[in-house]
Amino acid sequence: MQTLRNFIGGASVDAASGATLPVVNPATGAAYATSPASGPEDVDRAMTAAASAFETWGSTTPKERQEALLRIAQALEDRAEEFVRAECDNTGKPIGLTAEEELPPAVDELRFFAGAARVLEGRSAGEYLADHTSWIRREPIGVVAQVTPWNYPLMMAIWKVAPALAAGNTIVLKPSDTTPASTVLLAELAAEFLPPGVLNVVCGDRDTGRALIEHPTPQLVAITGSVRAGTEVAGTAAAGLKRVHLELGGKAPVVVFDDADIASAAEAIATAGYFNAGQDCTAATRVLVAEGAYDDLVAALAEQARSTRTGMPDDPDVLYGALNNPDQLARVAGMVDRLPDHATIEAGGGRASVAGGEGGYFFEPTVVSGLRQDDEISQTEVFGPVITVQRFADEAEALRSANGVQYGLSSSVWTTDHARALRMSNKLDFGVVWINTHIPFVSEMPHGGFKSSGYGKDLSMYGLEDYTRIKHVMSYTGE
């Protein structure tokens, strides 16, 4: 049984209470490690370490921060196999796909923010008042508290850590209680290149996260998680007037017009819907299709589902692995079980049988047609490998249905009509709009949502700016 520990002040330490939580491999349903069940004393210790480290780290030059991030990126790339194995043991993800699709972007994001650290911009200094010169300082915020989810533990940790470090902040990060392994490993690796206390990781459950947010030290709280979690974080942080950065749930509309290439669209949608078992807030799982293409797209999606495989991490032919935990499996199954009578399960619909994974949390690739706008599964994030399909009559109805949810994170439009694509991209109320594709990300472009999907941006220079504060300095220059 592996023992994971907190990483505080440059050292691996147990929780003060000695209490632990089991860490389960979702592909088997068996515990393979323990992690600390941290309490307020552990959070306070981490905050003290981060505050002390900020006294020097906050004054480092952009060049020094860049060099540290570049070294972390190189070390991560050099130890890719070790990190992929840790991630897959903890999440049940396919090993090959994780190595190809998750590790390289994570390395790239570290390198992007290493460069971005040296190109922060501000307004031009100048004399905006006679005999006075003004300029802008963009400064680190100080200590930031971060909470990351279980769907992409390593990648989401890097999305949070890289811009915060690049801006000169110090960090106390809490990973999900079900997936702490790769985040702890990242902190241990980063400690080879960062001063003690700059990056601290405290493991634990919701109570640990609450203690993190309630602590008086951090001036910014950043979380990727559910709408429920984001609402709680925002409410708790408000008591201390802390800034909040929220990347929350999604219900991405995939709007397919009848002039789209149906076969290509179905293949791309299935990949973007089932990747990571649909456990992605941008997953292509809510398909809206024009009347004229409806039957063809439903048939094509059903065929894609039947040819998509789920299975164990070491199986090279699977697209996705297990759901993260038994509660998530029950949630996904429950939403399918509660489908209305007018819905039709075209493929899948139940728990998947996987050789070697009899205790794992696997669910079949599923397609459900005949959905209506007010159905539970049309309005609520499933976070599982379930693609739903509903029809629309015209562009106006497509927009009403697409925007008619509480979420506003991501969306896509599938059409060969360029003018229509631009009209839709203008009117879709989502932070990301893809045209004839769905789910690619690049480090240079921002990711973040509207409405209940939160506020603040990950990735890009906008993400870096979120971890800074603006100071106006004015000097009297008269005689």
Side-chain angles (χ1 to χ4, degrees), residues 125-135 473-479:
E127 288 66 48
Y128 300 95
L129 180 67
D131 296 328
H132 295 76
T133 298
S134 290
W135 63 93
V473 181
M474 178 183 279
S475 174
Y476 176 66
T477 56
E479 297 181 357

Side-chain angles (χ1 to χ4, degrees), residues 269-329:
I269 292 165
T271 300
Y274 297 137
F275 188 83
N276 202 39
Q279 298 173 127
D280 190 317
C281 48
T282 62
T285 54
R286 181 168 68 106
V287 178
L288 313 176
V289 58
E291 292 273 9
Y294 182 85
D295 291 339
D296 288 344
L297 184 60
V298 168
L301 287 172
E303 182 57 34
Q304 288 290 329
R306 286 189 285 270
S307 63
T308 297
R309 292 191 58 222
T310 180
M312 298 297 283
D314 58 357
D315 186 337
D317 297 322
V318 303
L319 178 63
Y320 68 89
L323 294 171
N324 179 258
N325 56 73
D327 289 344
Q328 187 60 21
L329 177 61

